[in-house]
Amino acid sequence: MTMMHINAFTQCTPISQSIGQWRNPADVMSRGYTDLQVWTDLAKTLERGCIDALFFADIHGIYDGYAGNRDAAVRHAVQTPGADPLLLISALALSTRHLGFASTYSTTYHSPYECARTFSSLDHFTKGRIGFNVVTSYMKNAEDNGLGVMLPHDERYDRADEYLDVVYKLWEGSWDDAAVIRDGARNIHTVPERVHDIDHIGAYFSVRGPHMCEPSPQRTPVIYQAGASPRGIEFGAKHAEALFVGFTDPRNARERVTMIRERIAAHGRDPLSVKILAGVIPIVGDTDADAQRKYDDALQYVSPEGTFALFGGWTGVDLSRYGLDDRLDDIDSDGMQAIARGMRGKSMRDFYERIKLGSFSVKIIGSAAHVADTLEEWVDVGGVDGFNIMPVVQPGSHEDFVNAVIPELQRRGRFRTAYAGMTLREHYFGAGHTRVRDDHPAARYRANASK
Amino acid sequence: MTMMHINAFTQCTPISQSIGQWRNPADVMSRGYTDLQVWTDLAKTLERGCIDALFFADIHGIYDGYAGNRDAAVRHAVQTPGADPLLLISALALSTRHLGFASTYSTTYHSPYECARTFSSLDHFTKGRIGFNVVTSYMKNAEDNGLGVMLPHDERYDRADEYLDVVYKLWEGSWDDAAVIRDGARNIHTVPERVHDIDHIGAYFSVRGPHMCEPSPQRTPVIYQAGASPRGIEFGAKHAEALFVGFTDPRNARERVTMIRERIAAHGRDPLSVKILAGVIPIVGDTDADAQRKYDDALQYVSPEGTFALFGGWTGVDLSRYGLDDRLDDIDSDGMQAIARGMRGKSMRDFYERIKLGSFSVKIIGSAAHVADTLEEWVDVGGVDGFNIMPVVQPGSHEDFVNAVIPELQRRGRFRTAYAGMTLREHYFGAGHTRVRDDHPAARYRANASK
C-alpha cells in the first residue's frame, strides 16, 4: 500500500488561486500575508500533520492581459500585491523542526551563481529542509522591469537545462565533503585544494566558481517542477524529484503518469524515484453536507473578472473580449484550446463554473472519509504519489485537512504518523536519503565522483 | 548632550574582520554562522541593550589576490565560506520586536526591480525595521561568476545613483498610501488608479513598474553607506541616512565629519540629519587589565597571511610579495598608499601590528568606564553621532558591550533606555519619523508629491 506524499500549496500574496476570498471574513491570510505570525501558525499546523512541505508559488510582476491592462488583477488582488517567499523561510524554519519548505524561483530573473548561494544558504538555515521549484517564467511584465529577456518557450528550457548544470556543479562539485576541517593546530580552517573552480563555459553562462557556500546538508535542494508542455515534461523528467501535475480524474491521471514515468526512465532514472503530486482542492466538513455548505459559502466571493484575469495571464488570452455565452471553441488561442481540450462545445459560463474556485485543480468536497477515499483512488487508480493541497480559505483549508483528513489517512496506513528523517529529501525518499540519488543528473558533478 | 546611535556589526561567515578567531574556542559564531539559534541569541542580546540595528556586511566571491590565488583566504576563512544574510532576517525579526536590521546589498549584482521587492518584503516582515547598506561592489571574482560587469570606480557610482532613483520611484511613488482599500461591498481590493507605472528610462536602466509590493511601513529602507573615496563620499552625502566612517582619532574625525556635513548640506539636506557612525572595536573587561588580558588572548589566534589576504582584497595589492621588514613607502599602489597615509616610514611589521585584529578600526581596550569615556570623547570632540561596534569574538564582544558599556552609557544619559518607536528609522530620527525626511532624494518621488 503506497504511502502518500502531501505538500501544502500557498503563495505570499493576498490570494493565490482562490480569487475573491479576500472578501471572505474568515480569510486572515489575505490581510496577513506580510505578518510572520500568520505564516508561523500555518507552518506549525502543517508540521503537526507531518506534511512533507509548505510550497510557495511565486511570480514577478502583475497580470496585465485582461482588457489590455492590469486593472482587473489589481482590483481583485490576483496574486498582487506580493512579497518574496524566500525571505520568509528562516522564520518558518525557526518555528518548526521537520517541515520542508519549497519555493518557486525563476531561472530567468536570477544568475545561477546567486541561485546557488540562495538555496545553499537556506539549506543551511533550515538544516536541510529546502526545495527549489524550477520555473522559466512567463510574464512579459517582468521583462519590462529589466528582469531579463524572455526567450521563446523551448529555448527557455534549453537555457534552464544549462542553468541547472551550473548550479549542480556549484552545489555538488565545488567543495569536497572534507574541505572544512577547522584544524586550529595547523592553522587550517578550510583546505584550499578541496575547494574547486567549476570553470563552466556554455551557450548561456560562463561561471568560474568556486561556490561561496560550504556544503549544506542536502547540497542540491529537492528539485520540483511543474511544466506541462512536451518540452516542459522532458525537462521535468530529467531534473525533477517531485513533479506537480494537474489531472481531471484518476483514469486520465493513470495515462499521463505512465507517459511521464516512461520519459523519466528514458533519462536513465528510476521512474518511481520521482514523486508525482496532483493538485487538488479538498473542502472538508464534518459531513458531506457540511463540506458542501463550506464550498457554497466560499463561492459567494468569486467573480468572473478576477478569475479571467488570472487565466488570461496564464494563457495569453484577453478573456474580457468574450461574453459568458460565447463558445470556448471560438476562442482562437493555442493556450486556451489546450486548457479547454476537455470542454468541447462548452460556453465561457461553463468554463467559469469549472475554474471559479481554485482554477483547474480538482475539488474534493465532503467528509474526511470521502476526501480520504478519493485521494486513495487517485493513488491506487491514478498512480500518483501524492498531492499538492490547494487552499480555498487561509486559515481554514489547510487546518481542516490536517485536523480531519490526515488522521483519517493515518488510520488507513496511508500517511506517516511521524517524520522518519530531518531533511526534506528524506521525507520523500526515506531516512538517510539526504543527498540526490545516484541516477539524478546532479550526482555526476559530485566532488571526487568518478567522471 | 548628544545621545549616541549604536549598531552592532557582523557578517554571515565564520570570520568577518577579526581574522583567525575561528581558532578561538570561545568563538561559537565561526562554527555556528549557519545556525539560526546562534543568530537569534545575538539579536535578543542586542535588543536587550536597545541597540539601533544589527548590521550585516556581505561579499559575493572569495578574495583571490594573495600570492595570486585564493588559498590564503580559504585556509584562514577570510570571509569565506559565507551565506546570504538577507535570508536570516525574518528569523531574527520573529525573535525580536524593536531591533533594526541592516544588510549590505550590491547594486551590481541585482536588478533594481528585484532590490525593491527584496527590501519591501523585508520591511513588511520586520514591520519597518530594515536598512539597506548600498555598495557598488569591488570583487573581480564576482564578475567571473556572471554577476554583472564591473565598471570603472566612478562610473559604478553614476550607475548606483540611477539605481537608487529607480528603487525610490518604486518604493515611494508606485503605490499610493490609499491604494489598498479592501472594500468587499464594492469588490475592490486595490484601486487600480492608485497603482502607477514609474516609466523609468535612463542611461543604465529601463523599468516600467509598477512595484510588486504594497506600501510597507518605512517604504524606503533606511539607507546606509560607507564610501570613502571622493565620489563615494559624494554619493553618501546625497543618499545616506547613516554613514559608516573609519577615523584614527577624535581630532582627525572632527575634520572629516565637518567636511562630510558640508557635502551633505551641498545636496540641500540638513547636515545633522545623517548619522555618522565610526567603526570601533571595544574590548571590555572588569578592569583595564582584564580587558588587556582579553585582547592578548585574542591576539594568539591572529596570523599575517590571513590578515594580508583580506587587505590585499580591499586594496588590490598582493601583499605576499612583501616581507615584514619591507617599508610601506616602497609599495607601489594607490590603494595601499591611501590606507598607509598615516604610516610614513613604517614597515610591513608595523602595519601588521596596526591591523592585525579587526583591521583599521580603532581598538578601545579597557573597563566599561574607560570605553564609555572614549566613546563620549569621539562624540563630543570628534562630532560623530555614534558607532558601528566591530566584534572580536562572537559571542563575547557584543555581549560584553551590551552587559557593561550600555548600562554605563545609559547612566550617563548618553544612550536610550527604551526604544522610542517601532521602526528602524524612528530609532535614528525619533518616534513618528518612519518615512524618509522631506529633504531626502527619495521624498521627491512620493506618490502624489507635488512635482
Side-chain angles (χ1 to χ4, degrees), chain A residues 33 58 117 145 189 209 214, chain B residues 33 58 75 117 145 209 214:
Chain A
Y33 73 97
D58 191 27
R117 182 185 198 245
N145 285 315
H189 180 280
E214 65 182 292
Chain B
Y33 74 97
D58 192 26
R75 179 187 305 267
R117 181 185 199 246
N145 285 316
E214 65 181 294

Side-chain angles (χ1 to χ4, degrees), chain B residues 386-424:
Chain B
F387 303 94
N388 199 24
I389 304 294
M390 321 281 289
V392 173
V393 186
Q394 299 184 89
S397 298
H398 287 317
E399 288 70 11
D400 287 350
F401 192 85
V402 164
N403 293 336
V405 180
I406 289 288
E408 182 66 28
L409 292 173
Q410 288 170 332
R411 269 193 294 277
R412 300 181 186 192
R414 288 294 201 156
F415 197 66
R416 68 171 73 85
T417 54
Y419 292 97
M422 297 301 292
T423 63
L424 177 55

Side-chain angles (χ1 to χ4, degrees), chain A residues 12 14 20 22-23 30-37 39-40 58-62 64 70-72 74-77 79-95 109-114 117-122 124-127 141-147 170 175 180-193 195-198 206-214 301-303, chain B residues 12 14 20 22-23 30-37 39-40 58-62 64 70-72 74-77 79-95 109-114 117-122 124-127 141-147 170 175 180-193 195-198 206-214 301-303:
Chain A
C12 192
W22 66 267
R23 297 166 70 199
S30 60
R31 302 181 296 277
Y33 73 97
T34 61
D35 186 336
L36 295 179
Q37 199 69 55
W39 287 108
T40 57
D58 191 27
I59 62 170
H60 279 67
I62 299 181
D64 54 8
R70 64 173 174 260
D71 289 0
V74 170
R75 179 187 306 268
H76 298 287
Q79 305 187 349
T80 192
D84 186 343
L86 291 171
L87 297 167
L88 275 178
I89 287 174
S90 70
L92 306 186
L94 187 68
S95 309
Y109 306 150
H110 313 85
S111 76
Y113 182 86
E114 187 69 15
R117 182 185 198 245
T118 295
F119 281 96
S120 291
S121 298
L122 287 173
H124 277 299
F125 297 152
T126 62
K127 298 190 195 295
N141 186 263
E143 185 175 335
D144 294 338
N145 285 315
L147 287 179
L170 291 167
W175 289 61
V180 175
I181 60 171
R182 297 194 191 91
D183 185 335
R186 292 162 63 211
N187 199 9
I188 301 174
H189 180 280
T190 304
V191 181
E193 295 73 23
V195 178
H196 314 288
D197 285 341
I198 65 165
S206 290
V207 180
R208 195 185 81 184
H211 191 26
M212 268 194 65
C213 306
E214 65 182 292
Y301 304 111
V302 174
S303 70
Chain B
C12 193
W22 66 267
R23 296 166 71 200
S30 60
R31 302 181 296 277
Y33 74 97
T34 62
D35 187 336
L36 295 179
Q37 199 69 52
W39 287 108
T40 57
D58 192 26
I59 62 170
H60 278 67
I62 299 181
D64 54 9
R70 64 174 175 260
D71 289 1
V74 169
R75 179 187 305 267
H76 299 287
Q79 304 186 351
T80 191
D84 186 344
L86 292 172
L87 296 168
L88 275 178
I89 288 175
S90 70
L92 306 185
L94 186 70
S95 310
Y109 307 151
H110 312 85
S111 76
Y113 182 86
E114 187 70 14
R117 181 185 199 246
T118 294
F119 282 95
S120 291
S121 298
L122 287 173
H124 278 298
F125 297 152
T126 62
K127 299 190 194 295
N141 187 262
E143 185 175 334
D144 295 338
N145 285 316
L147 287 179
L170 291 167
W175 289 62
V180 175
I181 60 170
R182 297 194 192 92
D183 184 334
R186 291 163 62 212
N187 199 8
I188 302 175
H189 180 280
T190 304
V191 181
E193 295 73 23
V195 178
H196 313 288
D197 284 341
I198 64 166
S206 291
V207 180
R208 196 185 81 185
H211 191 27
M212 267 194 68
C213 305
E214 65 181 294
Y301 305 112
V302 174
S303 71

